[in-house]
Amino acid sequence: MSKAIYFDIDRCIGCFACQSACKQENDLAPHTLEEALSQTAPIWRRVMEVEQGDYGQETVSYISLSCMHCADAPCVIACPTGALSRDKESGRVVVNESKCIGCKMCLQACPFGIPQYGKDDLMQKCNLCLDRLQDGEAEPACVASCPAKALRYGDTAELSKKEQTKVAARLVLATGNKYSAGI
Amino acid sequence: MPKNEKICIIGNGGAAVEAVKALRENQYEGEIHLVSDSAQPAYNPMLTTYYVSGKIEFEAMFPYGCNMDLYEQYDVTLHLGSPVAGLDTKTKTVSTASGAVYPYDKCLVATGASPFLPPIEGMDRERVYTMRTVEDAQKLKKALEKKPGKALVIGASMVGIKVVELLYDAGAEVCLADMAPCLFPLAAHQECACVIENRLTDKGIRLRFGAGIEKILETDGKLSGCFSDGKPPEETDLIAVCIGVRPNLGFIDREQIEIDRGILVDDHMRTSETDVYAAGDVAQGMNLLTGKKQIIGLWPNARYQGRTAGRNMAGAEDVYSGAIPHNITHFMHMVFSGFGDLTSGTRTETEERNGGYVQRAWNGSNLVGVNMLDSSCAQIGIIKSAVEKGLRTGTPAEFEQLCSMKLRDKLLLEHFKKA
């Protein structure tokens, strides 16, 4: 069954626990401000602060972002060596470092700016905690660390069914039919 | 689709293999015949320079595997080592130079492209190399064993610069020449090109721009390249010609199939002739930025086109609306990336910060081209995807947003708030 991480923007409180847990789990060095600005220190999950609205009415949102493991991933098509592939069973987009030549074609293909390059110049990114889950853990490190349950891990079909139900309920509420929403 | 149908694929590159995969994955059960002059499994021309420089092994040039397992898995009847001589849409047959004739119900032309060699004296000399095929790579790799002292690369293209790099790493004194006045004439703005040129000069690469090659002479074991500017010829031990490629369509009857520079295709990868499709470097599909048809010879574009052709041939409708020309290349400790056409804008702007360099070209409020260097390239995918999406959906990203990280934020907000 294809699995995925769902991110709920309404629940994220911007505590950066997922970012830290990801670095710890995947042995990624903490980065300095300079490294963060020039994106020279690899980071697999990043929390970003997004402000919007005018003065006096601005709102701040947080977005926790890592590889989306796209169903039809543009990086997989762009990769010239076949180093990137998507496992249909698990839904993981993974990079085979022994095949990667560091050409950065994936960087130009990814709409989310996910691919990272380490000191060896090879591409690295989130692998949905492959090792951790093989060791018997139930969830990726970022999901397990989230105190607000903004990150959820599970079967793709089930995750989207849950969200669909929520959206449907919201629609019903918005149209005023409070009794048939069942919540 | 009836089981007794026959599909003939001409060519054996990324587009051809993606078509094969798409056919079988969409329940096509008929015969697939693959005819190609190449006798090897599908390779990626872009990897040849990596092999010559020793960064990858020979086997790694074949992204689908260095054996015929894939073709067996997808039940493909191979006719390799047999160059195609003709395609007749009236009799629906493909004929090879050796006289074999293969009938088809649907045909995909995915013959790719070959290096362009200007018709000048001396182009056929022994130490004049091109860089496209596996054989080209093997020849150049062998030449490097002789430790050439001086090398001349003609063509300041994406391939050209990688050949410069590998010759430089092999210890040769390298000269890079082009008829254009600057580096990457198709991809870079003159200003950005100038930044890169200065860095190349600092590393000891000699540049000879603004003059075309006129003839290649050989005297006392030395090659010399004579240029149109009348300046002293370039004495060298080895010449690599990387001027560009031309589509392989010599066997196509122009009366039967519409051709401009390549074979014209629609968003289903159909040619002007029913039941004939084209994909990859031989096909001229849509450039989303200009709205005109153009050959965009890129690995991902070839794969998308091949996949789309395969799906449609299998009866599963699929549309590939087009691409925008783009490039990313890393060489000599720098990264250059870009998309679009910097010369088509009405104004350009430059931004330098954190060791990065960005140049954008605007046509009104539409972004028509971007050049990026080094750390700035981290954003290229986000911007390229936003522009592409805007062009596909008819809602161009706004000017202000394309200038900053606001773009990323806005896209992400949209993505996560769509429920």
Side-chain angles (χ1 to χ4, degrees), chain B residues 138-248:
Chain B
Q138 284 171 314
K139 277 185 211 157
L140 186 61
K141 199 170 174 77
K142 208 154 188 212
L144 286 190
E145 285 167 12
K146 287 184 195 149
K147 296 268 168 219
K150 290 175 96 180
L152 169 63
V153 178
I154 299 168
S157 58
M158 295 291 153
V159 183
I161 198 71
K162 290 300 278 183
V163 175
V164 166
E165 182 188 39
L166 69 90
L167 290 166
Y168 175 83
D169 287 345
E173 201 182 299
V174 189
C175 174
L176 174 63
D178 201 298
M179 207 194 298
C182 62
L183 190 83
F184 301 153
L186 296 177
H189 188 270
Q190 284 213 0
E191 248 175 72
C192 181
C194 191
V195 175
I196 308 173
E197 285 164 19
N198 288 338
R199 294 189 199 173
L200 290 176
T201 315
D202 286 346
K203 285 181 196 285
I205 308 289
R206 234 154 27 77
L207 305 174
R208 266 189 95 146
F209 290 159
I213 183 90
E214 281 195 325
K215 58 185 166 186
I216 297 168
L217 301 173
E218 190 166 4
T219 40
D220 306 329
K222 275 269 176 200
L223 289 172
S224 56
C226 307
F227 289 89
S228 57
D229 56 6
K231 287 182 186 158
E234 193 67 36
E235 293 243 320
T236 185
D237 300 313
L238 179 158
I239 294 178
V241 184
C242 313
I243 297 177
V245 295
R246 297 287 181 271
N248 297 324

Side-chain angles (χ1 to χ4, degrees), chain B residues 305-316:
Chain B
Q305 289 186 338
R307 190 174 78 174
T308 305
R311 285 178 181 169
N312 285 314
M313 287 194 292

Side-chain angles (χ1 to χ4, degrees), chain B residues 91-399:
Chain B
T91 55
K92 288 189 126 181
T93 52
V94 170
S95 53
T96 67
S98 55
V101 176
Y102 305 106
Y104 67 81
D105 294 296
K106 289 197 176 79
C107 176
L108 171 68
V109 182
T111 43
S114 299
F116 170 68
L117 294 172
I120 58 160
E121 182 191 337
M123 214 28 111
D124 52 352
R125 288 191 197 282
E126 212 179 290
R127 283 173 293 159
V128 178
Y129 299 89
T130 52
M131 187 43 68
R132 178 80 185 176
T133 64
V134 168
E135 291 76 21
D136 290 344
Q138 284 171 314
K139 277 185 211 157
L140 186 61
K141 199 170 174 77
K142 208 154 188 212
L144 286 190
E145 285 167 12
K146 287 184 195 149
K147 296 268 168 219
K150 290 175 96 180
L152 169 63
V153 178
I154 299 168
S157 58
M158 295 291 153
V159 183
I161 198 71
K162 290 300 278 183
V163 175
V164 166
E165 182 188 39
L166 69 90
L167 290 166
Y168 175 83
D169 287 345
E173 201 182 299
V174 189
C175 174
L176 174 63
D178 201 298
M179 207 194 298
C182 62
L183 190 83
F184 301 153
L186 296 177
H189 188 270
Q190 284 213 0
E191 248 175 72
C192 181
C194 191
V195 175
I196 308 173
E197 285 164 19
N198 288 338
R199 294 189 199 173
L200 290 176
T201 315
D202 286 346
K203 285 181 196 285
I205 308 289
R206 234 154 27 77
L207 305 174
R208 266 189 95 146
F209 290 159
I213 183 90
E214 281 195 325
K215 58 185 166 186
I216 297 168
L217 301 173
E218 190 166 4
T219 40
D220 306 329
K222 275 269 176 200
L223 289 172
S224 56
C226 307
F227 289 89
S228 57
D229 56 6
K231 287 182 186 158
E234 193 67 36
E235 293 243 320
T236 185
D237 300 313
L238 179 158
I239 294 178
V241 184
C242 313
I243 297 177
V245 295
R246 297 287 181 271
N248 297 324
L249 36 72
F251 63 94
I252 302 276
D253 182 349
R254 284 165 188 265
E255 305 268 292
Q256 292 185 347
I257 295 175
E258 227 179 291
I259 288 172
D260 178 28
R261 279 174 175 258
I263 301 173
L264 292 166
V265 290
D266 65 4
D267 57 4
H268 285 65
M269 299 302 121
R270 291 177 293 219
T271 66
S272 61
E273 181 65 33
T274 333
D275 295 334
V276 179
Y277 295 72
D281 292 1
V282 77
Q284 189 172 343
M286 186 57 79
N287 175 344
L288 292 172
L289 267 178
T290 60
K292 291 188 180 118
K293 287 188 180 173
Q294 183 189 336
I295 299 176
I296 301 177
L298 299 167
W299 178 250
N301 199 40
R303 292 181 78 183
Y304 278 124
Q305 289 186 338
R307 190 174 78 174
T308 305
R311 285 178 181 169
N312 285 314
M313 287 194 292
E317 191 173 327
D318 186 31
V319 165
Y320 180 61
S321 56
I324 57 183
H326 62 271
N327 266 301
I328 188 158
T329 176
H330 66 136
F331 55 95
M332 304 176 94
H333 304 292
M334 49 186 135
V335 186
F336 166 83
S337 70
F339 69 79
D341 179 6
L342 277 280
T343 58
S344 67
T346 48
R347 69 193 167 86
T348 60
E349 59 190 10
T350 312
E351 203 179 296
E352 274 177 88
R353 62 169 180 203
N354 299 327
Y357 177 100
V358 185
Q359 188 161 26
R360 305 180 197 88
W362 299 91
N363 207 341
S365 61
N366 293 332
L367 187 65
V368 291
V370 171
N371 280 174
M372 287 174 161
L373 282 179
D374 302 330
S375 65
S376 303
C377 294
Q379 289 180 39
I380 187 79
I382 302 170
I383 297 181
K384 180 180 145 280
S385 304
V387 170
E388 244 171 23
K389 193 178 163 193
L391 291 165
R392 286 210 167 100
T393 56
T395 49
E398 286 157 44
F399 167 78

Side-chain angles (χ1 to χ4, degrees), chain A residues 39 48 72 76-77 79-80 108, chain B residues 44 303 307 327 338 378 408:
Chain A
Q39 299 200 6
M48 279 167 295
D72 184 11
V76 172
I77 293 275
C79 180
Q108 197 170 34
Chain B
N44 182 345
R303 292 181 78 183
R307 190 174 78 174
N327 266 301
R408 183 199 66 188

